[in-house]
Amino acid sequence: MNSIKVLDKEFVPYLSEKEIQEKITVLAMQLNKDYAGKRPIFLSILNGSFLFTADLFKQITIEAEVCFIKLASYKGMSSSGNVITAIGLEANVSGRDIIILEDIIDTGKTLHHYLPQLLSSGPASVKIAVLLNKKEALQFPVQVDYTCFDIPNKFVVGYGLDYDGLGRNSKDIYQLK
Ligand code: XMP
Ligand code: MG
């Protein structure tokens, strides 16, 4: 793997396609076990999680559903930390077991703000599965139940993750140089 340039920044190889796919296989096996007979709903948070969701879901062998929402946070002037739902939840989650799929947990702000909204719809259970967990960056209390990789507090791109919209279409994950 070679370094790549995305816009003005240089990124160095961090996690290979092989490492990523191996961890996803392990996670899928665990979820197949933990949710056997429960018909969970995988709730994928767009945009970053689309490749993670696709690769994981292909390896789910139990009865399961998948749906997508899009969350966005206001940045800049307002420090209120508002998170808005740009594409909402269509599924009826009442009484259902939900597994949230996120590409990366950074400060935890996005999920911390969204969870109460989801819980108000009365799911039977909610667990969070993430590809990447920047543990040191966590500022808002969010309990992550399944993690593929714990990573340091450095910006990453690739495999769905972007820098200013670019870099998502890489099979490997790169770290800012
Ligand atoms: P919070 O702080 O709400 O952040 O946990 C979650 C969202 O922030 C984005 N994010 C990143 N995107 N490389 C990216 O491409 C990163 O290193 C990174 N860190 C956070 C991402 O959209 C995630 O859903
Ligand atoms: Mg994201």
Side-chain angles (χ1 to χ4, degrees), residues 69-85:
I69 61 167
K70 183 167 185 173
L71 303 176
S73 43
Y74 287 120
K75 286 185 194 136
M77 310 303 235
S78 158
S79 60
S80 62
N82 276 341
V83 174
I84 59 151
T85 309

Side-chain angles (χ1 to χ4, degrees), residues 6-63:
V6 182
L7 296 172
D8 58 323
K9 302 240 177 336
E10 206 178 328
F11 292 85
V12 294
Y14 182 54
L15 299 168
S16 70
E17 177 184 12
K18 185 164 178 285
E19 287 172 281
I20 296 166
Q21 295 302 329
E22 279 172 6
K23 286 280 189 185
I24 290 176
T25 299
V26 172
L27 174 61
M29 285 166 62
Q30 186 68 49
L31 292 169
N32 284 329
K33 210 171 112 196
D34 294 354
Y35 285 87
K38 290 191 166 166
R39 210 218 268 189
I41 300 178
F42 287 84
L43 176 51
S44 174
I45 318 276
L46 295 171
N47 290 330
S49 306
F50 76 112
L51 292 178
F52 172 46
T53 301
D55 286 338
L56 178 75
F57 200 65
K58 281 185 279 184
Q59 300 200 60
I60 295 301
T61 52
I62 57 169
E63 273 196 339

Side-chain angles (χ1 to χ4, degrees), residues 103-106 130-136 138 142 144-153:
D103 51 347
I104 186 165
I105 292 260
D106 191 319
V130 302
L131 179 68
L132 308 173
N133 194 347
K134 279 189 188 173
K135 274 188 168 167
E136 300 156 23
L138 196 71
V142 171
V144 179
D145 303 282
Y146 301 92
T147 296
C148 291
F149 298 95
D150 285 311
I151 67 165
N153 191 7

Side-chain angles (χ1 to χ4, degrees), residues 102-111 134 154-157 161-163:
E102 254 288 39
D103 51 347
I104 186 165
I105 292 260
D106 191 319
T107 64
K109 185 177 90 179
T110 309
L111 285 183
K134 279 189 188 173
K154 271 197 179 177
F155 195 78
V156 289
V157 295
L161 293 135
D162 71 301
Y163 169 50

